[in-house]
Structure formats: C-alpha cells, structure tokens
Amino acid sequence: MSYEKWTEELKANFDETVAWRRHLHEYPEPSFEEEQTAAFIVTQLQQMGIEDIQTNVGNGYGIVAKIYGDHPGPTIAFRADFDALRIHEETDVPFQSKNPGIMHACGHDGHTASLLSVAKVLNKHKADLHGNVVLLHQNAEEVVPGGAKSMIEAGCLMGVDYVFGIHVMSNLEAGKIAYSSSYGSAGSDSFQMQIQGKGGHGAAPHTTVDSVMIGTQIVTTLQTLVSRQVDPVQPAVVTFSGFQAGGEANNIIADKAVLRGTIRTLNPEVRDLMEAQVNQMSQSIATANQGTVKIRYTRGYPSIMNTPLETERLTKVMQAKFGDTEVLEVEAGMGGEDFAYYLQEKPGTFFYVGAENAAIEANYPHHHPKFKIDETALLRSGEAFLAIAEDYLVNKAD
C-alpha cells in the first residue's frame, strides 16, 4: 500500500507544488547563472528535513541530495533540470517572468517542482524504502557543455544503480506517459564557418573571390549529405541557421561570409560521418573557388540511449499504474538532451509526461515565447517517479 499512501500525500501537496513551480517561473535564471534558483531548491530540501545536500556540484549550481531508506537495497537517482532560456515571455499567465528576456520556456520549472514534491513524500516514508534515492537537481541543461557531464565527473552518480529522468511535452496530451525504446534524443552538434574571399566591385567579378557564392554552394551541397551519404534508415538533420555577408552596398562583392548551423543524428557512426564530411566538402568548395574557410565544429550532447531492461520495466510499471491507453511509445525526436551523459554511466530511462491542453493554449512548442504547460503534468510526473521508487525500493514481501 506504499504507493497509494504516497500519492495521497502527493495530491495533498499539489497546491504547494504548483506554488513552487510558479515561483521558479516568475524568477527564471539562464544556464550557469542559476544562483537564486539553486538557493530556493536547497531551502525547500532543508525544510523537508533532508540533511545530505551537496551544492555547487560540477561546473555550476548543481545540487545532489540523498534520501536514505531504513532498509538495504539499490540506489536510484531522479534528475530534474532547473535552468531557463534567454527568451522574452509572451504568455498571459499571472506568474509571468519578472526577469525581462528570460523565461522558463521548456518546462524545467515544472521538473524541479515535481521532484521536490516527490522528495517531500519519500523523505517522510524512509521506513518504506529498501534502498536509497538520489535527487539530481541539475543546472545548465540548455547550454553546452551543460551541467550533467561535470556533475557526473564530480561524483553525483557514485553508488547509484539506476537513473531516471522526466521531461514534460507540450505536444502530448496532459497526463499521458511517452517513452522511446532505444534512442531518446539526438546527438546535437553545431558549426560556424568563416569564409574568406576577396572583395571588390560588383561590375568586375573576375577580379574578386565571391564569399557569398562560396557560401551558397556550401549551403546547397551540404544538403546532399543526408540524402546521398547517410543510410536512409538512419535519421540525420543539417540545418543552416545563419548566413551573414556583405550588405554595405548593392555593388560590392563581399570579402567575408559567416555560416552557422546545427547537425542532429542518432547513430554515433552517422555523427562521425557528418562531422568529417561537413569539413571535407566545405573545404573542397572553398578551395575550388580560390577562397578559404575556417570551420569551428562543436560536439554537443550525445544521443540518449535508453537501456532496454529498464525501459521495458518502466513501461510495465507505468501501464500498471495508469493504464495501457495512457502509455505510448514514440519515436525519438531530434532535440538534444544532456541526460544522455547519465545513461552512458548507469542503466535507466528518460521518458516524457504530457502537458498539452489546448483549452488554456498550452500547446505551443518548447522554446516558444508563449510556451505553457497544463500544471496537472506536475502531479503526473510525481506519480511516475513514485511508481518507479515503489517498483525498485519497496519490499514486495511486505
């Protein structure tokens, strides 16, 4: 009966959970600047009576807190990120961001509030636990190099046997659970190219090296990477997000051009191929046109690879608690997530909780200035974490 008792308390704490989330939403802080957010989280954990709390873990404001069960058993870790984005909020909610140009446009405020509510319940019921819970309140998910990798290097997974993470989804009906059997996100890399040509008069192009022409050829040619060099059953994306060159006058051929973009892949071998070919093809085009190109290629987060046994176990637990129709398998998206680093170290799963509700316009995409969530997703997220805790840590013989 542990789960039923736990979820009753979770529901009783729902107003407080919503208040936590709204406070965080009003006072968002971007990656690597979350000092007050971290202080707020620590204060709540301390008020719950949790004593083992590490702060400033990793390369920022990461927090690791531990709840020790009264009985021996495995240790599971739950992760919630807490950074916001540099986006000016355009929602109509009464708890709109008070920090201009910064907002929680991805739901990390909800993740944090949900995990705090779970911590409050589990810390009151340590006598039920055959094992321990590690709370990973992570900074800086949104900006490479992120917070996860450095938190791991600082030892946040020491003694942990399994790790789980949740992300709300604004395109999934509120309350539903979604998972991916293998890949859970994409490898997310970026590039910047500085093309050097030779500027000159537009009436005498033969005396110049046109950086705009070189840039357009690179943009066009790299689109063939996915269609002609990547196995058709392996997802990959090439996106150019910026092209800056010239513009000083209509009759000047630009001396320099700058291209920016992102590469998304799932398979690590495809990732390597894309990096190699972006460099080789761009250099070849520039050289063939008497120009040069300097490329800064940045490896971002690797793709999430959910471990099969834990994902299958999670699926069965969620179906048992919420019903088969509420639990869906989805294809991996091409967004990046640094939860991938945790799963390189420990078995576990990253899954999703629906937060969509068109009636309140909670259906804008993540990273949109009008992004909103249905706050019932906070309760379902907490219920999901508690279901995992019961499955792994409650002695079934009791």
Side-chain angles (χ1 to χ4, degrees), residues 114-376:
S114 296
L115 188 55
L116 285 172
S117 66
V118 168
K120 186 172 184 177
V121 171
L122 292 179
N123 195 56
K124 288 176 62 177
H125 295 283
K126 291 181 284 189
D128 294 340
L129 303 181
H130 293 252
N132 313 304
V133 177
V134 175
L135 309 168
L136 302 174
H137 285 283
Q138 184 205 307
N139 67 305
E141 186 277 329
E142 295 287 1
V143 175
V144 174
K149 193 172 188 293
S150 68
M151 286 183 68
I152 293 166
E153 290 168 351
C156 75
L157 293 180
M158 287 183 62
V160 169
D161 297 298
Y162 308 95
V163 61
F164 299 92
I166 281 177
H167 206 299
V168 295
M169 286 185 71
S170 66
N171 61 345
L172 178 69
E173 182 183 344
K176 291 189 180 295
I177 303 288
Y179 68 95
S180 299
S181 291
S182 55
Y183 293 109
S185 71
S188 53
D189 302 333
S190 62
F191 60 84
Q192 178 175 303
M193 301 182 186
Q194 293 184 327
I195 300 166
Q196 182 63 59
K198 178 184 176 183
H201 200 289
H206 62 291
T207 66
T208 72
V209 175
D210 190 344
S211 65
V212 172
M213 183 270 292
I214 294 172
T216 56
Q217 286 195 31
I218 289 174
V219 171
T220 301
T221 302
L222 290 190
Q223 302 306 313
T224 67
L225 274 175
V226 175
S227 66
R228 289 297 176 267
Q229 297 201 40
V230 175
D231 185 333
V233 301
Q234 296 289 348
V237 175
V238 177
T239 295
F240 283 87
S241 59
F243 192 141
Q244 286 83 39
E248 295 87 356
N250 292 338
N251 60 352
I252 296 176
I253 290 176
D255 185 61
K256 299 176 183 178
V258 177
L259 307 180
R260 294 179 178 85
T262 186
I263 304 288
R264 302 299 172 105
T265 55
L266 296 182
N267 188 302
E269 293 179 358
V270 175
R271 188 184 197 187
D272 292 340
L273 170 68
M274 296 292 281
E275 179 177 1
Q277 291 299 90
V278 163
N279 281 280
Q280 180 179 328
M281 294 173 72
S282 301
Q283 294 286 358
S284 296
I285 292 168
T287 300
N289 290 281
Q290 292 80 51
T292 61
V293 59
K294 293 181 180 179
I295 303 171
R296 187 174 71 213
Y297 196 100
T298 303
R299 285 245 174 171
Y301 306 145
S303 53
I304 285 177
M305 189 64 182
N306 294 317
T307 53
L309 291 177
E310 287 65 41
T311 304
E312 182 180 3
R313 183 171 178 176
L314 173 107
T315 303
K316 291 178 180 178
V317 169
M318 296 300 136
Q319 289 171 337
K321 297 299 184 188
F322 308 121
D324 292 352
T325 60
E326 297 299 299
V327 182
L328 311 171
E329 183 172 6
V330 295
E331 295 293 331
M334 299 305 281
E337 239 293 349
D338 72 348
F339 190 84
Y341 291 119
Y342 298 111
L343 292 178
Q344 288 183 340
E345 303 294 326
K346 302 291 180 178
T349 297
F350 187 74
F351 62 107
Y352 307 93
V353 172
E356 178 188 27
N357 184 344
I360 61 170
E361 297 186 332
N363 54 2
Y364 285 91
H366 293 250
H367 295 209
H368 191 283
K370 292 186 178 182
F371 174 85
K372 288 196 282 189
I373 64 170
D374 184 328
E375 290 178 321
T376 61

Side-chain angles (χ1 to χ4, degrees), residues 1-220:
M1 297 295 291
S2 296
Y3 181 75
E4 289 76 13
K5 180 170 56 179
W6 295 350
T7 53
E8 284 178 9
E9 292 187 13
L10 194 75
K11 292 172 183 175
N13 293 339
F14 183 62
D15 287 346
E16 182 178 44
T17 306
V18 169
W20 287 333
R21 183 255 165 169
R22 293 185 177 187
H23 171 85
L24 294 169
H25 194 91
E26 280 191 89
Y27 301 100
E29 295 175 298
S31 301
F32 300 108
E33 299 178 25
E34 316 98 322
E35 182 177 5
Q36 296 305 313
T37 301
F40 176 83
I41 295 168
V42 170
T43 296
Q44 308 315 311
L45 294 172
Q46 290 172 334
Q47 290 177 352
M48 296 171 195
I50 296 175
E51 298 178 352
D52 191 342
I53 304 172
Q54 302 172 54
T55 59
N56 300 323
V57 179
N59 60 358
Y61 295 100
I63 299 163
V64 178
K66 298 178 181 179
I67 298 171
Y68 298 97
D70 285 359
H71 313 281
T75 296
I76 59 174
F78 294 143
R79 178 270 209 159
D81 39 14
F82 57 73
D83 55 325
L85 288 151
R86 293 191 180 278
I87 295 174
H88 185 75
E89 184 164 5
E90 297 179 6
T91 69
D92 57 359
V93 297
F95 49 93
Q96 192 178 86
S97 170
K98 288 183 167 59
N99 295 336
I102 304 170
M103 74 170 288
H104 274 289
C106 202
H108 297 185
D109 50 343
H111 303 164
T112 299
S114 296
L115 188 55
L116 285 172
S117 66
V118 168
K120 186 172 184 177
V121 171
L122 292 179
N123 195 56
K124 288 176 62 177
H125 295 283
K126 291 181 284 189
D128 294 340
L129 303 181
H130 293 252
N132 313 304
V133 177
V134 175
L135 309 168
L136 302 174
H137 285 283
Q138 184 205 307
N139 67 305
E141 186 277 329
E142 295 287 1
V143 175
V144 174
K149 193 172 188 293
S150 68
M151 286 183 68
I152 293 166
E153 290 168 351
C156 75
L157 293 180
M158 287 183 62
V160 169
D161 297 298
Y162 308 95
V163 61
F164 299 92
I166 281 177
H167 206 299
V168 295
M169 286 185 71
S170 66
N171 61 345
L172 178 69
E173 182 183 344
K176 291 189 180 295
I177 303 288
Y179 68 95
S180 299
S181 291
S182 55
Y183 293 109
S185 71
S188 53
D189 302 333
S190 62
F191 60 84
Q192 178 175 303
M193 301 182 186
Q194 293 184 327
I195 300 166
Q196 182 63 59
K198 178 184 176 183
H201 200 289
H206 62 291
T207 66
T208 72
V209 175
D210 190 344
S211 65
V212 172
M213 183 270 292
I214 294 172
T216 56
Q217 286 195 31
I218 289 174
V219 171
T220 301

